[in-house]
């Protein structure tokens, strides 16, 4: 998109005059995260501005997989009158700076031997044999920080190389048992995989019979299980089996069925059904308004499972925003091509509703944040305590496989006709690993706990670069003490 803009729109005199007349003072942050076309555009704007400040992070560039080019960004120094290099990060303890230096040496990004400061002050390494033991220990450690040390839950982050569905569920469940709220952040995950989104889509189909979309009984059962408190899959399936043309009044069900469902769950089910019937009797509203009202007026209320579910709130908010954006672009498209029913089908097929296309949703409430490490860095959020889960995984330094869009070979800095080799891959992994851990340490104001299990979530032995780097630091510091 930026390339098209630079080649076809920016050369127009009207466009240049408009932007240059208004952009008199420019602040360009995180320039190393941008693409070369954007750098060329910014160079033109800076040349005609009254003042400009360009910020460049030498050890960032986490978004290389999106085409970022730090070498191109550094060329902007040529259009600046003055270049200032800042030293150590503000607010970090000497021990934390020492640990960053040790990681730089262990990952081969710096030569020499770090100073004599103990780099593991405020840092703990814990090992387990099996993955579930590590997950249990992580939840227990979070509970200690919250209940004994008085750390606010939203000041704690649990970062992992990959946040699978199983790991997210296990951590969420254990924290819930310990009375600690949590939230997760996975912006690259399609909305259609979120249970609350599937439930909202199912209820939207049932609330708009004029669309002719009849959700399968299995989807209705899953939706009821997802939102109605106290309703397990078996009882939800019994209720769904009666919903041929919509949800049936609870009082109209057979007495034996009412007893099996229980009257408490039936009362909640009836509140949902009543809201749906009231809506169906009135005029339809835009789909994003429907999602917002259903979630706010019913599904987030007492008695429903989503009342304190921060993850569900994030997913619902993303769906509302997605539907609103889709509606806003529909003015120039025929109704039969862009209607709400078409949108729902596109969401469930994975064509629309990607949260990665919009700003990541981070709850402002009290939840402990569970997130992939790179996603956490993208938020530029600082916390008081961190847990690095599964440091033995190779995922901490592994580059995303992109055979059709290799960001290094396709960079303007890559020598023509030079092949990408395993040596290049290793060098990139080591550089990425160092930048990742340095970024995490700079965003933590207190203790860090590094946890590993001998066997991974899939039952494989762990031999990742981060684990080896930590081992080298331990041996180096122990040799000095000895």
């Amino acid at each position: 998109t930026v390339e098209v803009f630079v080649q076809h729109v920016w050369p127009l005199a009207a466009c240049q005059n408009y932007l240059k007349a208004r952009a008199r003072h420019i602040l360009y942050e995180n320039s190393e995260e941008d693409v070369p076309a954007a750098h060329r555009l910014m160079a033109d704007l800076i040349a005609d501005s009254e003042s400009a400040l360009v910020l460049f992070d030498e050890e960032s560039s986490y978004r290389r997989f999106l085409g970022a080019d730090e070498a191109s960004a550094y060329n902007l120094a040529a259009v600046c009158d003055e270049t200032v290099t800042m030293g150590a990060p503000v607010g970090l303890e000497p021990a934390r700076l020492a640990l960053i230096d040790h990681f730089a040496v262990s990952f081969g990004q710096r030569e020499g031997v770090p100073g004599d400061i103990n780099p593991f002050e405020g840092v703990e390494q814990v090992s387990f044999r099996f993955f579930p033991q590590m997950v249990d220990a992580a939840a227990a450690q979070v509970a200690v920080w919250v209940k004994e040390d008085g750390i606010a839950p939203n000041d704690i982050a649990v970062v992992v190389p990959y946040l699978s569905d199983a790991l997210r569920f296990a951590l969420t469940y254990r924290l819930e048992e310990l009375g600690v709220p949590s939230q997760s952040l996975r912006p690259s995950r399609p909305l259609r995989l979120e249970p609350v989104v599937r439930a909202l889509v199912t209820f939207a189909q049932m609330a708009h019979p004029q669309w002719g979309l009849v959700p399968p009984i299995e989807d209705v059962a899953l939706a009821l299980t997802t939102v109605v408190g106290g309703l397990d899959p078996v009882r939800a399936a019994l209720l769904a089996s009666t919903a041929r043309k919509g949800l049936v009044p609870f009082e109209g069900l057979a007495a034996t069925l009412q007893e099996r469902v229980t009257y408490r769950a039936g009362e909640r089910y009836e509140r949902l059904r009543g809201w749906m019937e009231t809506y169906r009797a009135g005029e339809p509203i835009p789909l994003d308004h429907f999602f917002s009202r259903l979630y706010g007026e019913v599904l987030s209320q007492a008695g429903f499972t989503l009342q304190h579910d921060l993850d569900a709130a994030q997913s619902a908010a993303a769906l509302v925003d997605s539907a609103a954006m889709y509606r806003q672009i529909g003015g120039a498209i025929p109704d039969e091509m862009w209607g709400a029913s078409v949108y729902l089908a596109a969401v469930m097929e994975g064509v629309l509703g990607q949260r990665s296309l919009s700003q990541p949703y981070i709850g402002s409430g009290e939840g402990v944040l569970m997130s992939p490490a790179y996603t956490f860095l993208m938020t530029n959020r600082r916390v008081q305590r961190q847990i690095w889960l599964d440091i033995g995984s190779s995922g901490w330094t592994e580059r995303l496989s992109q055979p059709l869009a290799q960001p290094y070979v396709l960079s303007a800095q890559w020598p023509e006709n030079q092949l990408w080799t395993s040596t290049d891959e290793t060098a990139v992994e080591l550089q990425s690993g160092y930048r990742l851990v340095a970024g995490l340490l700079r965003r933590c104001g207190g203790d860090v706990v590094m946890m590993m299990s001998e066997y991974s979530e899939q039952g494989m032995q762990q031999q990742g670069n981060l684990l080896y780097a930590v081992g080298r630091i331990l041996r180096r510091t122990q040799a000095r003490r000895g």
Side-chain angles (χ1 to χ4, degrees), residues 432-447:
S432 300
Y434 165 67
R435 290 184 173 184
L436 175 67
V437 297
L440 291 174
L441 292 172
R442 289 167 181 153
R443 289 164 175 78
C444 185
D447 295 346

Side-chain angles (χ1 to χ4, degrees), residues 32 56-61 70 74 85-86 431 435:
E32 77 286 348
F56 178 92
D57 189 341
E58 294 178 339
E59 295 180 348
S60 182
S61 193
E70 57 186 315
Y74 197 75
T85 301
M86 301 184 70
Q431 182 191 68
R435 290 184 173 184

